[in-house]
Amino acid sequence: MKKSIRRIAASAVAASVLFGSFVPAAQAQSSAGFLESLIGSEMSSTSEPARVDGPFTTNIEDATLENENFRTELWTGEFLQVTLMEIPVGGDIGLELHDDTDQFIRLEQGNARVEMGPTKDEVTFTKDIAAEDVVLVPRGEWHNVINTGEVPLKIYTIYAPPHHPKGTVHETQADALADEH
């Protein structure tokens, strides 16, 4: 049920971006608590939300800079998905592999090191990047983005095809890891 409430809060965040006023994480959390108190235990977490959002527009830089969650799904279409991320100082996305998804990553704030390679234990590409740089990750490539700066790393990611369930909000990396298992 908590995941469903978070998904509703994420939808509220996405809607607020669409209408011009982004909801900070603290407000989204209080919204989630408010929704939970209204709905109680009647809401089922077994049904998955629809996969495809309708037309959407936003200032992606503002939305990315205002996001305070580790990961927030912003928009999901049939063939691609946009997520916002905040990586704390010294943190990382986590070494990962997407077998069927290409990924575009753009840094809006901070400095990072990108590591990629053909296997989990074989990093063959390392590059330092900064705000306004992009990273293109082909499917099947192990990759990680590590925050090497002194401020939280603010990024947005485009997955093609979509990778995360619609409505995904992970406040922390630990939440993201728990959701995968």
Side-chain angles (χ1 to χ4, degrees):
M1 180 166 143
K2 294 270 189 210
K3 287 181 186 175
S4 294
I5 297 297
R6 285 187 188 135
R7 287 182 179 136
I8 292 170
S11 296
V13 169
S16 72
V17 170
L18 176 63
F19 295 110
S21 63
F22 192 78
V23 177
Q27 281 182 288
Q29 278 306 103
S30 64
S31 297
F34 175 71
L35 289 170
E36 189 173 18
S37 70
L38 285 177
I39 298 169
S41 60
E42 296 175 25
M43 185 173 177
S44 169
S45 63
T46 58
S47 62
E48 189 64 34
R51 286 279 303 165
V52 178
D53 286 335
F56 181 76
T57 182
T58 190
N59 181 313
I60 193 68
E61 182 179 1
D62 289 346
T64 303
L65 293 173
E66 292 173 5
N67 175 58
E68 295 179 348
N69 292 309
F70 177 76
R71 178 180 294 117
T72 301
E73 177 268 342
L74 181 64
W75 186 89
T76 297
E78 185 176 352
F79 299 109
L80 66 89
Q81 176 178 63
V82 179
T83 65
L84 311 174
M85 296 186 78
E86 179 182 272
I87 311 300
V89 173
D92 66 355
I93 288 177
L95 186 61
E96 61 183 1
L97 170 79
H98 307 301
D99 285 324
D100 61 354
T101 304
D102 291 323
Q103 191 173 3
F104 168 100
I105 302 169
R106 176 174 160 102
L107 279 70
E108 291 294 339
Q109 172 182 292
N111 295 292
R113 183 175 56 250
V114 175
E115 298 177 343
M116 288 191 254
T119 67
K120 192 174 190 175
D121 299 320
E122 185 182 356
V123 172
T124 57
F125 177 88
T126 302
K127 175 114 172 122
D128 290 327
I129 56 175
E132 299 184 10
D133 286 343
V134 299
V135 179
L136 300 172
V137 183
R139 71 177 182 84
E141 191 80 11
W142 284 92
H143 59 281
N144 195 5
V145 177
I146 303 153
N147 185 346
T148 59
E150 297 181 12
V151 297
L153 193 62
K154 301 282 192 160
I155 65 175
Y156 69 88
T157 298
I158 299 172
Y159 297 94
H163 182 71
H164 299 284
K166 179 160 172 32
T168 296
V169 175
H170 297 129
E171 290 180 46
T172 65
Q173 186 177 29
D175 291 342
L177 293 171
D179 201 28
E180 291 176 9
H181 302 289

